[in-house]
Every structure is written in C-alpha cells, then in structure tokens.
Amino acid sequence: MEIAQPRDLERYLSLAKRRHGELCRQKRIFNARNRIIGGDPDAWDAQVHDQKIKEATEKARHETFAAEMRQNDKITCILEGRERRDRKSLCKAINDFQQTFQKPETRREFDLSDPLALRKDLPARQSDNDIRNTVSGMQKFMGEDLNFHERKKFQEEQNREWSLQQQRERESARAHQRCAEDLYFKTRLQFDETAKHLQSLESATRKAVCAAVKEFNRNQATESAERKTWEKKQEQEDDLAEISNLLRGDLLSENPQQAASSFGPHRVVPDRWKGMTREQLEQIRLVQKQQIQEKLEKIYGRSLYKSTH
C-alpha cells in the first residue's frame, strides 16, 4: 500500500485544478447556448428587445381580441337567454290558449273518444222526435225530420262561430308575429350598435397601440442617435488623448531620464537608452583632450631628458 506524500497531494491538486479549468473552458467554448465568443452581444440584446416589443404588441392585440370575443359571447348569451324566454312565453301562451279555447270538449269528434260517453249517453229512445233513432229501429223515416230548420240554423251559427274563432286566431297570430318581428328588429339594432361600439373600441385600441409603438420607436431612435454621438465624441476625445500622450510621452520626446537605471546613476536600461547627452559627450571630449595633453607632455618630457643626457 503506497503512502500519499504531500508532494503527491500537491501534484494531484494541480492536476484536478487543470482538469476543472479545461472542463470550464470546453463548456464555455463548445456550449452553443452560452458561448458568446465571436458574437455581437449588443446586436443580440437589440434583437431580444425588439422581440419583447413584438411579443408585447401581439399580447395586447390578443387581449383586445379576447375582450371582443368575451363581449360577443356575453351578447350572444343575452340574446339566447332572451330567445329562450320568448320561446317559453310563446309556448306558455299557446298552452294557455289551448287550455282555454281549445278544450277537448269543443271538438266535433270528441264524442268518439269521450271517456264519460256511457254516463252521458241517453237511453235508446226518449220520444218520437229523438234524432238518435236509426232506420233499423223503425222509429223515424225519411221525410219526417221535423227539426230540420233548427238543426240547419244551429249548424250555420256553429259555422259562423268557427269562422269568427279562426279570424280571431289569425289576428292573434299576426299580432304575435308583429311583436316577434319588432323584437327581432330591436335586437338587431342593439346588436349593430354593440358591434359599432366594439369596432370603435378596437379602432381606438389599435390607434393607441400604434401611437405607443411610434413613440417608443422615436425614443429608441433618439437614444440611439445620442448614444452614437456620445460614442463618437468619446472616441475622438480618446484619440486626441492618445495622440497627446504619444507626443508628450517619453518615447517620441526621447527623454533621457527614462533610460535611468534603478541600480545607480552610472547604469542605463539598454532597451530605453537613446544615446549620450551633449554634456556627457562634452565631458568625454574634455577627458580625451586631457589624456592627449598628458600623453604629449610625457612624450616631450622624455625627449628633453634624452637630449640633456
């Protein structure tokens, strides 16, 4: 079993840090959703902003349509409820009319289906003038109809009553039809007024949305122009500052002080040294002249010594 030394732990820690850094780099480079290398974040932000504006406009439009649909549904429900009530009232009126004026007892064929016919039935013969006597009963013969005039008058009166009743029914039906038509026209006019009001609301909403979008676009254009102007001005100021720094800097002005070394005044920095100053050159020339003078004095001094000896 190997023992982990501190050196091994440091090496493992260094490898783990390198692996983590490499994984972070790969995630940052190869992840297409989060990678922004080589992209234009400002353009992306502008696109996202435009998309949000478009979504807000679409949302407002859909909300307007939804409000109109809700209003139309409400109106439709009201009209349907009114129609149901009118139909119910009409059915009730018909039933009341049938119960009042069209009873089963008033039908001509009621005697064929009368459940109390046996109780109401008369005996087979009450008198010689009984109209129920048949031929087979040998109670009444042809030409012996003594109640012909009364029966004919009764039938005429009954026909007149039926005719008047039919006229009254037709007049009542016409009156109901006129009321239904008036109600339909009133409902149609009210629906048209509601539709006109909704159309005006839609137009006003659309105008408000267009005005808001125009105002927003105008503000965006103004902000963009101001930002571009400010950026251009800032860029010019930066360029002027850079030019001024370059002109006044030690590089172009060849300031000899920048070649001074921190190890002593007699040493210089080779990559910054611009050559000797005029004072240094004058000092060197002065030293050279002194050396030449000393050398000449030495030479002439030897010659004089040899000539004397």
Side-chain angles (χ1 to χ4, degrees):
M1 181 176 180
E2 296 182 358
I3 299 173
Q5 298 294 330
R7 185 180 303 170
D8 298 334
L9 294 177
E10 292 178 358
R11 185 169 65 253
Y12 293 154
L13 181 61
S14 177
L15 290 174
K17 288 182 179 179
R18 291 179 60 186
R19 290 195 188 96
H20 180 69
E22 182 65 21
L23 289 176
C24 293
R25 188 183 68 83
Q26 292 179 2
K27 183 177 180 181
R28 187 172 58 254
I29 293 175
F30 296 108
N31 191 354
R33 183 180 295 275
N34 299 326
R35 180 169 60 87
I36 59 172
I37 299 176
D40 190 357
D42 296 334
W44 295 343
D45 294 338
Q47 292 178 358
V48 170
H49 190 62
D50 295 339
Q51 186 67 24
K52 288 182 178 179
I53 294 173
K54 185 177 179 181
E55 290 177 355
T57 305
E58 290 294 331
K59 184 178 179 181
R61 182 169 174 267
H62 289 312
E63 289 179 354
T64 303
F65 289 159
E68 293 178 0
M69 291 177 66
R70 289 193 296 270
Q71 186 70 17
N72 293 333
D73 292 339
K74 186 177 180 180
I75 293 172
T76 304
C77 292
I78 292 172
L79 294 178
E80 288 179 353
R82 186 175 298 172
E83 184 179 0
R84 285 194 300 269
R85 290 193 298 272
D86 294 340
R87 190 182 295 113
K88 185 176 180 181
S89 300
L90 181 60
C91 292
K92 184 179 179 181
I94 292 173
N95 291 329
D96 294 340
F97 179 80
Q98 290 177 353
Q99 293 292 332
T100 305
F101 301 102
Q102 293 182 350
K103 295 182 178 180
E105 293 82 2
T106 60
R107 297 178 185 175
R108 288 180 295 179
E109 65 275 6
F110 177 72
D111 57 343
L112 300 177
S113 60
D114 188 4
L116 303 176
L118 295 177
R119 293 183 180 181
K120 297 178 182 178
D121 194 9
L122 299 175
R125 181 175 178 274
Q126 288 182 343
S127 64
D128 294 336
N129 296 324
D130 193 354
I131 61 175
R132 295 181 296 111
N133 291 331
T134 60
V135 177
S136 62
M138 299 297 287
Q139 300 294 327
K140 187 177 181 180
F141 298 95
M142 293 294 294
E144 295 183 352
D145 189 5
L146 300 178
N147 296 325
F148 173 75
H149 296 288
E150 289 79 5
R151 181 171 54 83
K152 186 176 180 180
K153 185 178 180 180
F154 176 76
Q155 289 178 352
E156 290 177 355
E157 186 68 23
Q158 190 176 16
N159 290 331
R160 189 177 66 83
E161 289 294 332
W162 287 348
S163 178
L164 293 176
Q165 185 177 357
Q166 289 177 357
Q167 290 179 3
R168 288 193 298 269
E169 290 177 357
R170 283 196 294 270
E171 291 295 332
S172 178
R174 291 195 188 97
H176 283 294
Q177 185 177 2
R178 285 194 295 271
C179 291
E181 290 178 354
D182 293 340
L183 179 62
Y184 173 75
F185 286 132
K186 290 180 181 179
T187 305
R188 189 63 180 270
L189 290 175
Q190 185 178 2
F191 183 77
D192 293 339
E193 291 294 331
T194 305
K196 187 184 296 183
H197 180 63
L198 291 177
Q199 187 175 4
S200 62
L201 287 178
E202 180 184 2
S203 179
T205 304
R206 189 180 295 109
K207 288 181 180 179
V209 172
C210 293
V213 172
K214 287 182 180 179
E215 184 66 23
F216 180 78
N217 292 332
R218 189 182 298 110
N219 294 333
Q220 289 293 107
T222 304
E223 291 178 1
S224 178
E226 292 178 355
R227 186 173 61 254
K228 289 182 179 179
T229 304
W230 182 81
E231 290 178 353
K232 185 176 180 181
K233 183 178 179 181
Q234 190 68 25
E235 185 179 359
Q236 291 178 356
E237 291 179 357
D238 293 340
D239 294 339
L240 291 175
E242 184 178 1
I243 293 171
S244 177
N245 292 331
L246 290 174
L247 292 176
R248 297 178 181 179
D250 296 336
L251 181 63
L252 296 180
S253 62
E254 295 185 356
N255 186 10
Q257 298 296 329
Q258 65 177 349
S261 177
S262 60
F263 294 102
H266 62 284
R267 301 185 66 177
V268 296
V269 181
D271 58 345
R272 300 179 184 176
W273 189 57
K274 301 298 181 178
M276 295 183 179
T277 61
R278 183 175 296 176
E279 291 78 6
Q280 291 176 350
L281 292 175
E282 291 293 335
Q283 185 67 26
I284 292 172
R285 292 192 184 96
L286 181 59
V287 172
Q288 288 178 352
K289 288 180 180 180
Q290 291 178 357
Q291 291 177 354
I292 292 171
Q293 186 67 29
E294 291 176 357
K295 190 173 183 180
L296 290 176
E297 289 178 357
K298 289 181 180 179
I299 293 172
Y300 290 147
R302 289 180 183 177
S303 299
L304 290 175
Y305 178 76
K306 289 179 179 181
S307 61
T308 53
H309 291 283

